[in-house]
Amino acid sequence: QFHIFVGDLSSEIETQQLREAFTPFGEISDCRVVRDPQTLKSKGYGFVSFVKKSEAESAIAAMNGQWLGSRSIRTNWATRKPPASKENIKPLTFDEVYIQSSPSNCTVYVGGVNSALTALSEDVLQKTFTPYGSIQEIRVFKDKGYAFVRFSTKEAATHAIVGVHNTEI
């Protein structure tokens, strides 16, 4: 996937409008407007991910400076922030995690896994996440260094995120 940062979004722009604006450039694998977890107001930026690099490059070139809603947007490659040092990480709260996804979302993303290590397995994930609730499915993408764990309830998934976030498994 090739991730584009879209900045200077006007507050009325929703994820669907962002997706529609970038759809002409190619297949979009992910798209979202970033929101404040407490107020749910747009933070004024978002991300659009394309399957093909050439399509992402075309979108960046064509959309930078274009008007979307009531503002001219900025586009560029999305870059990852360097990981915060362990001392500066504030623990997550159940409520802030719970409101960040739809009521039907019961899936936990497990990322930041070194794919060179073979420790990422269904068994390890089962042992790590079973204490948080009933697991429906575990999908491991060893070569990519991540996995998904689907719980039977959103509450269980939320407890798992709060409990396991920023830990080593």
Side-chain angles (χ1 to χ4, degrees):
Q1 292 186 6
F2 299 91
H3 309 289
I4 296 176
F5 168 83
V6 183
D8 294 337
L9 288 176
S10 54
S11 59
E12 77 273 5
I13 297 298
E14 299 286 339
T15 295
Q16 186 58 35
Q17 292 162 291
L18 185 62
R19 179 181 290 276
E20 287 167 3
F22 283 84
T23 295
F25 298 97
E27 186 183 346
I28 294 173
S29 56
D30 191 33
C31 179
R32 67 187 171 100
V33 170
V34 177
R35 301 193 169 281
D36 179 281
Q38 268 70 47
T39 65
L40 298 181
K41 286 185 178 156
S42 170
K43 286 191 169 188
Y45 65 93
F47 298 95
V48 180
S49 301
F50 285 89
V51 174
K52 294 183 182 151
K53 185 177 183 181
S54 60
E55 294 171 349
E57 288 170 337
S58 297
I60 289 171
M63 293 300 286
N64 194 42
Q66 293 297 316
W67 284 81
L68 187 57
S70 60
R71 292 173 86 174
S72 170
I73 62 171
R74 287 181 300 126
T75 57
N76 207 336
W77 291 109
T79 54
R80 299 255 181 238
K81 288 182 184 171
S85 66
K86 292 277 187 214
E87 307 86 68
N88 298 343
I89 297 170
K90 78 175 185 67
L92 298 174
T93 68
F94 181 90
D95 290 341
E96 74 183 344
V97 172
Y98 191 85
I99 65 168
Q100 287 182 35
S101 66
S102 72
S104 60
N105 188 353
C106 302
T107 303
V108 174
Y109 168 79
V110 182
V113 180
N114 182 345
S115 54
L117 301 174
T118 55
L120 182 63
S121 70
E122 206 168 308
D123 286 348
V124 168
L125 293 170
Q126 190 81 41
K127 286 183 182 94
T128 304
F129 288 98
T130 295
Y132 298 99
S134 174
I135 296 173
Q136 302 296 301
E137 181 183 19
I138 295 175
R139 299 200 54 202
V140 179
F141 298 87
K142 226 180 223 180
D143 55 326
K144 303 241 197 275
Y146 63 84
F148 294 100
V149 179
R150 186 165 49 87
F151 287 87
S152 57
T153 66
K154 180 177 179 174
E155 290 74 13
T158 303
H159 282 299
I161 291 169
V162 171
V164 181
H165 182 67
N166 263 333
T167 64
E168 287 189 24
I169 58 170

